[in-house]
Protein backbone atom coordinates (compact mmCIF):
# COMPACT_ATOMS: atom_id res chain seq x y z
CA UNK A 1 0.00 0.00 0.00
CA UNK A 2 1.37 3.42 -0.98
CA UNK A 3 2.08 6.16 1.54
CA UNK A 4 -0.75 8.30 0.16
CA UNK A 5 -3.19 5.42 0.46
CA UNK A 6 -2.11 4.81 4.06
CA UNK A 7 -2.61 8.50 4.87
CA UNK A 8 -6.07 8.50 3.28
CA UNK A 9 -6.98 5.34 5.15
CA UNK A 10 -5.80 6.84 8.42
CA UNK A 11 -7.77 10.03 7.80
CA UNK A 12 -10.90 8.04 7.00
CA UNK A 13 -10.53 6.00 10.19
CA UNK A 14 -10.15 9.21 12.18
CA UNK A 15 -13.26 10.69 10.55
CA UNK A 16 -15.26 7.59 11.43
CA UNK A 17 -13.93 7.72 14.99
CA UNK A 18 -14.84 11.40 15.20
CA UNK A 19 -18.38 10.67 14.00
CA UNK A 20 -18.75 7.90 16.58
CA UNK A 21 -17.39 10.19 19.27
CA UNK A 22 -19.79 12.95 18.27
CA UNK A 23 -22.73 10.57 18.35
CA UNK A 24 -21.78 9.27 21.79
CA UNK A 25 -21.19 12.74 23.16
CA UNK A 26 -24.54 13.93 21.83
CA UNK A 27 -26.20 10.86 23.31
CA UNK A 28 -24.75 11.66 26.75
CA UNK A 29 -25.83 15.29 26.54
CA UNK A 30 -29.21 14.20 25.18
CA UNK A 31 -29.76 11.81 28.06
CA UNK A 32 -29.06 14.56 30.58
CA UNK A 33 -31.31 16.98 28.71
CA UNK A 34 -34.19 14.54 28.33
CA UNK A 35 -34.01 13.55 31.99
CA UNK A 36 -33.97 17.19 33.06
CA UNK A 37 -36.88 18.08 30.75
CA UNK A 38 -38.96 15.12 31.93
CA UNK A 39 -38.22 16.03 35.53
CA UNK A 40 -39.31 19.59 34.82
CA UNK A 41 -42.53 18.29 33.30
CA UNK A 42 -43.27 16.14 36.34
CA UNK A 43 -42.49 19.11 38.58
CA UNK A 44 -44.91 21.32 36.65
CA UNK A 45 -47.65 18.68 36.89
CA UNK A 46 -47.05 18.26 40.62
CA UNK A 47 -47.06 22.01 41.27
CA UNK A 48 -50.15 22.44 39.07
CA UNK A 49 -51.92 19.60 40.90
CA UNK A 50 -52.78 17.87 37.63
CA UNK A 51 -55.79 15.68 38.41
CA UNK A 52 -54.78 12.52 36.48
CA UNK A 53 -51.43 12.52 38.29
CA UNK A 54 -53.14 13.09 41.63
CA UNK A 55 -55.54 10.21 40.97
CA UNK A 56 -52.65 7.91 40.08
CA UNK A 57 -50.72 8.91 43.21
CA UNK A 58 -53.73 8.51 45.49
CA UNK A 59 -54.82 5.19 44.01
CA UNK A 60 -51.36 3.62 44.24
CA UNK A 61 -50.82 4.90 47.78
CA UNK A 62 -54.12 3.51 49.04
CA UNK A 63 -53.73 0.10 47.43
CA UNK A 64 -50.17 -0.44 48.59
CA UNK A 65 -50.96 0.91 52.04
CA UNK A 66 -53.87 -1.51 52.37
CA UNK A 67 -51.57 -4.39 51.41
CA UNK A 68 -48.99 -3.31 53.98
CA UNK A 69 -51.66 -3.16 56.72
CA UNK A 70 -52.97 -6.61 55.83
CA UNK A 71 -49.51 -8.20 55.72
CA UNK A 72 -47.31 -7.04 58.63
CA UNK A 73 -44.44 -9.35 57.61
CA UNK A 74 -44.43 -7.76 54.16
CA UNK A 75 -44.31 -4.31 55.73
CA UNK A 76 -41.41 -5.38 57.96
CA UNK A 77 -39.46 -6.59 54.92
CA UNK A 78 -40.06 -3.27 53.19
CA UNK A 79 -38.78 -1.47 56.30
CA UNK A 80 -35.54 -3.49 56.28
CA UNK A 81 -34.96 -2.83 52.59
CA UNK A 82 -35.82 0.87 52.77
CA UNK A 83 -34.25 1.74 56.13
CA UNK A 84 -31.20 -0.54 56.08
CA UNK A 85 -30.19 -2.05 52.75
CA UNK A 86 -31.17 0.85 50.45
CA UNK A 87 -31.09 3.66 52.99
CA UNK A 88 -29.41 6.84 51.65
CA UNK A 89 -26.88 6.77 54.49
CA UNK A 90 -25.90 3.19 53.60
CA UNK A 91 -25.53 4.03 49.91
CA UNK A 92 -23.57 7.22 50.57
CA UNK A 93 -21.20 5.35 52.87
CA UNK A 94 -20.70 2.77 50.12
CA UNK A 95 -19.89 5.56 47.66
CA UNK A 96 -17.49 7.06 50.21
CA UNK A 97 -15.69 3.72 50.56
CA UNK A 98 -15.52 3.45 46.78
CA UNK A 99 -14.07 6.97 46.58
CA UNK A 100 -11.37 6.13 49.14
CA UNK A 101 -10.52 3.00 47.15
CA UNK A 102 -10.20 5.08 43.98
CA UNK A 103 -7.84 7.45 45.78
CA UNK A 104 -5.81 4.44 46.90
CA UNK A 105 -5.66 3.32 43.25
CA UNK A 106 -4.52 6.87 42.36
CA UNK A 107 -7.56 7.41 40.15
CA UNK A 108 -7.79 10.98 41.36
CA UNK A 109 -10.20 12.38 38.80
CA UNK A 110 -12.53 9.40 38.92
CA UNK A 111 -12.62 9.69 42.70
CA UNK A 112 -13.46 13.39 42.38
CA UNK A 113 -16.21 12.52 39.87
CA UNK A 114 -17.78 9.98 42.23
CA UNK A 115 -17.66 12.37 45.20
CA UNK A 116 -19.00 15.36 43.25
CA UNK A 117 -21.83 13.31 41.72
CA UNK A 118 -22.93 11.98 45.10
CA UNK A 119 -22.72 15.34 46.87
CA UNK A 120 -24.33 17.26 44.02
CA UNK A 121 -27.20 14.79 43.87
CA UNK A 122 -27.87 15.15 47.58
CA UNK A 123 -27.72 18.96 47.60
CA UNK A 124 -29.83 19.37 44.45
CA UNK A 125 -32.47 17.01 45.81
CA UNK A 126 -32.60 18.89 49.11
CA UNK A 127 -32.85 22.22 47.30
CA UNK A 128 -35.76 21.07 45.13
CA UNK A 129 -37.56 19.64 48.16
CA UNK A 130 -37.25 22.98 49.94
CA UNK A 131 -38.52 24.92 46.93
CA UNK A 132 -41.47 22.63 46.13
CA UNK A 133 -42.55 21.96 49.75
CA UNK A 134 -44.84 19.08 48.81
CA UNK A 135 -46.50 17.32 51.74
CA UNK A 136 -46.07 13.58 52.21
CA UNK A 137 -49.05 11.19 52.00
CA UNK A 138 -51.39 11.45 54.99
CA UNK A 139 -52.74 7.93 55.43
CA UNK A 140 -54.85 6.45 58.18
CA UNK A 141 -52.92 3.97 60.37
CA UNK A 142 -49.56 4.66 58.68
CA UNK A 143 -46.98 1.87 58.71
CA UNK A 144 -44.04 4.28 58.39
CA UNK A 145 -43.10 7.90 58.99
CA UNK A 146 -40.52 10.14 57.31
CA UNK A 147 -39.46 13.72 58.03
CA UNK A 148 -39.25 16.58 55.58
CA UNK A 149 -40.96 17.25 52.30
CA UNK A 150 -41.97 14.72 49.70
CA UNK A 151 -40.89 15.77 46.18
CA UNK A 152 -38.56 14.44 44.89
CA UNK A 153 -37.92 11.21 46.77
CA UNK A 154 -34.48 11.44 48.36
CA UNK A 155 -34.25 7.65 48.56
CA UNK A 156 -35.02 7.25 44.84
CA UNK A 157 -32.62 10.00 43.81
CA UNK A 158 -29.79 8.71 46.03
CA UNK A 159 -30.28 5.18 44.71
CA UNK A 160 -30.10 6.45 41.11
CA UNK A 161 -26.93 8.48 41.62
CA UNK A 162 -25.25 5.84 43.81
CA UNK A 163 -25.87 2.86 41.58
CA UNK A 164 -24.99 5.00 38.58
CA UNK A 165 -21.64 5.69 40.24
CA UNK A 166 -21.10 2.01 41.06
CA UNK A 167 -21.85 0.99 37.47
CA UNK A 168 -19.72 3.60 35.73
CA UNK A 169 -16.74 3.02 38.05
CA UNK A 170 -16.78 -0.77 38.45
CA UNK A 171 -17.89 -2.02 35.02
CA UNK A 172 -14.30 -2.25 33.68
CA UNK A 173 -13.45 -4.63 36.52
CA UNK A 174 -16.32 -7.00 35.71
CA UNK A 175 -16.01 -9.65 32.97
CA UNK A 176 -18.20 -8.77 30.00
CA UNK A 177 -20.25 -11.94 30.40
CA UNK A 178 -21.29 -10.80 33.89
CA UNK A 179 -21.94 -7.13 33.19
CA UNK A 180 -25.59 -7.72 32.31
CA UNK A 181 -26.05 -9.23 35.77
CA UNK A 182 -24.53 -6.12 37.35
CA UNK A 183 -26.81 -3.89 35.28
CA UNK A 184 -29.86 -5.94 36.29
CA UNK A 185 -28.95 -5.80 40.00
CA UNK A 186 -28.51 -2.03 39.84
CA UNK A 187 -31.79 -1.55 37.95
CA UNK A 188 -33.73 -3.81 40.31
CA UNK A 189 -32.28 -1.96 43.30
CA UNK A 190 -33.22 1.48 41.94
CA UNK A 191 -36.75 0.33 41.08
CA UNK A 192 -37.02 -1.50 44.39
CA UNK A 193 -36.14 1.62 46.37
CA UNK A 194 -38.93 3.54 44.69
CA UNK A 195 -41.43 0.75 45.29
CA UNK A 196 -40.63 0.49 49.00
CA UNK A 197 -41.12 4.22 49.52
CA UNK A 198 -44.57 4.21 47.93
CA UNK A 199 -45.58 0.91 49.54
CA UNK A 200 -44.64 2.26 52.99
CA UNK A 201 -46.80 5.31 52.37
CA UNK A 202 -44.08 7.95 52.77
CA UNK A 203 -43.98 9.04 49.11
CA UNK A 204 -46.26 9.48 46.14
CA UNK A 205 -45.45 7.69 42.87
CA UNK A 206 -44.63 11.03 41.25
CA UNK A 207 -42.10 11.74 44.03
CA UNK A 208 -40.25 8.57 43.12
CA UNK A 209 -40.43 9.30 39.39
CA UNK A 210 -39.05 12.78 40.02
CA UNK A 211 -36.20 11.35 42.09
CA UNK A 212 -35.26 8.87 39.38
CA UNK A 213 -35.27 11.49 36.63
CA UNK A 214 -33.36 14.11 38.57
CA UNK A 215 -30.78 11.57 39.72
CA UNK A 216 -30.31 10.34 36.15
CA UNK A 217 -29.85 13.91 34.95
CA UNK A 218 -27.14 14.53 37.55
CA UNK A 219 -25.23 11.35 36.66
CA UNK A 220 -25.51 12.00 32.93
CA UNK A 221 -24.30 15.60 33.31
CA UNK A 222 -21.28 14.77 35.48
CA UNK A 223 -20.40 11.76 33.30
CA UNK A 224 -20.45 14.01 30.25
CA UNK A 225 -17.99 16.33 32.01
CA UNK A 226 -15.68 13.41 32.79
CA UNK A 227 -15.83 12.21 29.19
CA UNK A 228 -14.90 15.71 28.04
CA UNK A 229 -11.80 15.58 30.24
CA UNK A 230 -10.83 12.24 28.70
CA UNK A 231 -11.05 13.69 25.21
CA UNK A 232 -9.07 16.78 26.22
CA UNK A 233 -6.14 14.65 27.42
CA UNK A 234 -6.29 12.37 24.39
CA UNK A 235 -7.83 9.29 25.98
CA UNK A 236 -10.97 9.33 23.89
CA UNK A 237 -14.63 8.79 24.64
CA UNK A 238 -15.80 5.50 26.19
CA UNK A 239 -19.10 3.69 25.81
CA UNK A 240 -21.39 3.54 28.85
CA UNK A 241 -21.15 -0.25 28.78
CA UNK A 242 -17.37 0.03 29.35
CA UNK A 243 -17.52 2.41 32.32
CA UNK A 244 -16.02 5.87 32.58
CA UNK A 245 -12.39 4.83 32.95
CA UNK A 246 -11.43 1.43 31.48
CA UNK A 247 -7.85 2.08 32.65
CA UNK A 248 -8.99 1.49 36.25
CA UNK A 249 -7.91 -2.13 35.75
CA UNK A 250 -4.27 -0.92 35.73
CA UNK A 251 -2.15 0.35 38.60
CA UNK A 252 -2.11 4.15 38.84
CA UNK A 253 -4.63 4.48 35.98
CA UNK A 254 -4.32 8.26 35.66
CA UNK A 255 -0.55 8.73 35.96
CA UNK A 256 -0.25 9.07 32.20
CA UNK A 257 -3.39 11.20 31.79
CA UNK A 258 -1.44 14.19 30.60
CA UNK A 259 0.24 12.26 27.82
CA UNK A 260 -1.37 12.35 24.35
Amino acid sequence: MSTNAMVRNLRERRRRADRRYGARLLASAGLASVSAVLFGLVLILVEGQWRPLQRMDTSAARRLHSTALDHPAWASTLHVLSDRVWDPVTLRLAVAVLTVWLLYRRAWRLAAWAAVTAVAGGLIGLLVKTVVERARPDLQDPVAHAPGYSFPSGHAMTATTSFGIFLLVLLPLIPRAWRIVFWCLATISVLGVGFTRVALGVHWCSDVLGGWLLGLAVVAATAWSFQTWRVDVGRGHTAVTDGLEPEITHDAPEDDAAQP
Side-chain angles (χ1 to χ4, degrees):
M1 181 181 294
S2 67
T3 302
N4 289 337
M6 292 177 62
V7 171
R8 287 195 299 270
N9 185 47
L10 179 59
R11 287 176 178 174
E12 180 59 28
R13 289 176 58 188
R14 286 179 176 175
R15 281 195 291 268
R16 289 198 297 267
D18 287 342
R19 287 195 292 269
R20 289 194 297 270
Y21 162 67
R24 290 171 178 172
L25 196 60
L26 286 175
S28 300
L31 178 59
S33 300
V34 169
S35 299
V37 169
L38 290 176
F39 171 78
L41 177 60
V42 173
L43 175 58
I44 290 172
L45 296 178
V46 167
E47 288 282 75
Q49 299 181 355
W50 192 47
R51 290 189 179 277
L53 184 63
Q54 287 184 321
R55 285 196 295 268
M56 179 196 73
D57 280 340
T58 302
S59 176
R62 287 176 178 173
R63 290 178 182 177
L64 291 174
H65 181 62
S66 176
T67 301
L69 288 175
D70 294 339
H71 302 84
W74 170 244
S76 297
T77 301
L78 294 177
H79 270 292
V80 172
L81 291 173
S82 181
D83 301 337
R84 297 290 185 273
V85 180
W86 291 324
D87 182 67
V89 174
T90 302
L91 295 178
R92 287 167 186 158
L93 285 175
V95 171
V97 171
L98 178 64
T99 302
V100 171
W101 177 77
L102 289 173
L103 292 173
Y104 172 76
R105 291 294 300 271
R106 300 171 68 178
W108 320 114
R109 295 166 186 83
L110 193 59
W113 173 82
V116 168
T117 301
V119 173
L123 293 177
I124 291 172
L126 182 61
L127 176 62
V128 176
K129 276 179 180 285
T130 304
V131 172
V132 177
E133 294 186 344
R134 189 186 196 188
R136 293 182 183 272
D138 185 14
L139 303 170
Q140 188 175 5
D141 299 324
V143 297
H145 298 276
Y149 297 115
S150 190
F151 183 88
S153 167
H155 276 68
M157 186 171 178
T158 301
T160 303
T161 55
S162 297
F163 283 102
I165 292 169
F166 298 150
L167 279 171
L168 294 178
V169 169
L170 299 176
L171 276 177
L173 301 171
I174 300 172
R176 288 189 177 276
W178 288 95
R179 289 183 185 180
I180 185 63
V181 176
F182 200 53
W183 276 98
C184 288
L185 289 175
T187 302
I188 290 171
S189 296
V190 171
L191 295 176
V193 169
F195 176 78
T196 61
R197 302 307 285 169
V198 178
L200 289 172
V202 292
H203 276 295
W204 305 107
C205 284
S206 52
D207 298 335
V208 169
L209 179 59
W212 287 336
L213 291 171
L214 190 55
L216 184 60
V218 170
V219 173
T222 58
W224 178 81
S225 297
F226 189 87
Q227 293 283 19
T228 300
W229 166 77
R230 285 184 59 86
V231 172
D232 287 344
V233 298
R235 289 194 163 196
H237 194 278
T238 61
V240 174
T241 52
D242 294 328
L244 281 183
E245 193 164 67
E247 298 86 356
I248 194 65
T249 56
H250 307 144
D251 293 333
E254 293 179 8
D255 277 2
D256 63 340
Q259 299 179 10

